Amino acid sequence: MTESSPLASSGQMDPLSYHYEADDVDPDGHDLPSLRARFLLENLPDGGVLLEVGCGGGKNLRTIAKYRSDVILLGCDIIVPGREDPGFDFRRVDPDQMDLPYADSSVDTVLLYDVLEHVKDPKKVATEIARVIKPDGLLIAFIPFEGERISWYTLFRHFLGQDLYAVTKDHIQAFTHREVMDMIGQDFHVQKRQYAYHPFGQLMDATFFALVKIPRFHHLYWTESPFHNASDHEHSLVGRCFGAVLQSAHAVAWAESKLLGRFRFFSTCVLLTARRNAGAAG
């Protein structure tokens, strides 16, 4: 549920046209998107109805469809997918109201990847998820907590402006780990946690998105990144070198997250599963 990026109104290239239209994600790859896809597939229940809140172009749902044929796939976002047939049932969310267009207790599983940091009222979105999910339904989420007092994000914001990551990647929220757990804990019981973006991965992400504030790097990142550009255009020599560097950095960050996934220390993202509390609103 990524809201329109401030970059679009500044005359720079809108990243939304790049990083949501990939076909699917390889869960066996050695990069951070693969780490997240593997977590999703390993924890996805059999059968039932799955709703991805903030589905973007649908690459997560297409990943599920590629490996699982027993799940009914729904997706919603404030932005309509670019494909005429995205491969799942899509409904648009009103960005002003943020009400999910589904009945109470109507879905078995909710997927929430990279959403809450983009919305003005994340608590409203969390409450809406609790409303539409069935009693004892499962939430599978990936949430960054970039508001920790000690982190590379905090350091870069101190020197480059508190709105740095709101401008470069539309992260208008910077949660602490406690804030994430408190928000999810209102209506859900967390069952599993796997941490990611430890010292190196965090530094990589914080640095690259700080550099995105530079117009030339912004263009390079969103057009040549193998993780964000879905087009098949021929890459320049600079683009190929940049892509190789980014893939190598992701491989190191993937290995780091695999090794340290049980530990929260100096991580800034959490993959989690949580069951809906019996008394949650719905």
Side-chain angles (χ1 to χ4, degrees):
M1 191 165 294
T2 306
E3 295 188 273
S4 182
S5 170
L7 295 172
S9 61
S10 67
Q12 300 189 56
M13 188 173 299
D14 182 2
L16 293 175
S17 63
Y18 287 86
H19 61 285
Y20 289 122
E21 297 299 333
D23 286 333
D24 52 66
V25 181
D26 178 9
D28 296 319
H30 292 170
D31 52 56
L32 292 169
S34 296
L35 182 81
R36 295 158 52 179
R38 171 58 58 186
F39 182 88
L40 165 59
L41 292 173
E42 288 179 347
N43 290 282
L44 184 62
D46 294 333
V49 177
L50 178 141
L51 165 66
E52 182 175 15
V53 176
C55 64
K59 63 183 178 183
N60 291 323
L61 294 173
R62 283 190 289 274
T63 300
I64 296 171
K66 184 174 181 178
Y67 294 93
R68 296 283 297 273
S69 60
D70 60 331
V71 183
I72 298 171
L73 301 175
L74 312 177
C76 65
D77 206 310
I78 66 170
I79 299 170
V80 177
R83 302 184 182 202
E84 184 175 342
D85 180 12
F88 54 91
D89 182 79
F90 175 82
R91 296 186 187 180
R92 185 177 180 274
V93 176
D94 184 335
D96 295 322
Q97 301 297 323
M98 298 304 290
D99 295 325
L100 300 183
Y102 303 95
D104 295 358
S105 302
S106 59
V107 300
D108 299 283
T109 305
V110 169
L111 178 61
L112 185 74
Y113 268 29
D114 285 312
V115 174
L116 296 180
E117 67 273 20
H118 292 283
V119 299
K120 294 178 181 178
D121 191 351
K123 292 183 179 179
K124 168 68 180 294
V125 175
T127 299
E128 277 291 282
I129 290 171
R131 178 183 65 78
V132 302
I133 200 168
K134 293 178 181 178
D136 202 39
L138 186 69
L139 171 68
I140 305 175
F142 174 82
I143 307 171
F145 43 96
E146 298 173 358
E148 293 288 297
R149 186 171 60 87
I150 300 175
S151 75
W152 291 114
Y153 301 100
T154 299
L155 181 65
F156 282 130
R157 283 196 300 264
H158 176 75
F159 288 104
L160 300 176
Q162 292 301 312
D163 66 342
L164 174 63
Y165 297 112
V167 170
T168 61
K169 57 176 177 175
D170 197 30
H171 284 200
I172 63 176
Q173 307 288 345
F175 306 114
T176 64
H177 179 265
R178 179 180 292 275
E179 288 171 338
V180 169
M181 291 299 109
D182 286 348
M183 184 162 38
I184 299 300
Q186 289 292 317
D187 296 308
F188 293 87
H189 172 67
V190 175
Q191 294 184 320
K192 181 182 293 188
R193 279 179 268 191
Q194 179 178 319
Y195 294 100
Y197 290 79
H198 291 79
F200 178 80
Q202 179 191 148
L203 176 60
M204 175 191 70
D205 188 69
T207 301
F208 271 104
F209 278 102
L211 290 171
V212 166
K213 199 169 185 179
I214 302 170
R216 288 197 176 191
F217 190 88
H218 174 271
H219 183 271
L220 177 69
Y221 189 81
W222 291 117
T223 58
E224 304 294 347
S225 166
F227 302 104
H228 301 98
N229 182 15
S231 70
D232 295 323
H233 78 278
E234 183 177 350
H235 295 278
S236 65
L237 176 60
V238 171
R240 291 196 296 271
C241 291
F242 176 76
V245 169
L246 195 56
Q247 286 179 314
S248 297
H250 262 263
V252 174
W254 171 86
E256 178 187 59
S257 291
K258 290 283 288 184
L259 180 65
L260 302 177
R262 294 173 54 195
F263 304 102
R264 180 166 68 90
F265 177 71
F266 219 65
S267 66
T268 49
C269 294
V270 62
L271 286 152
L272 63 83
T273 64
R275 289 285 177 187
R276 180 184 183 271
N277 295 332

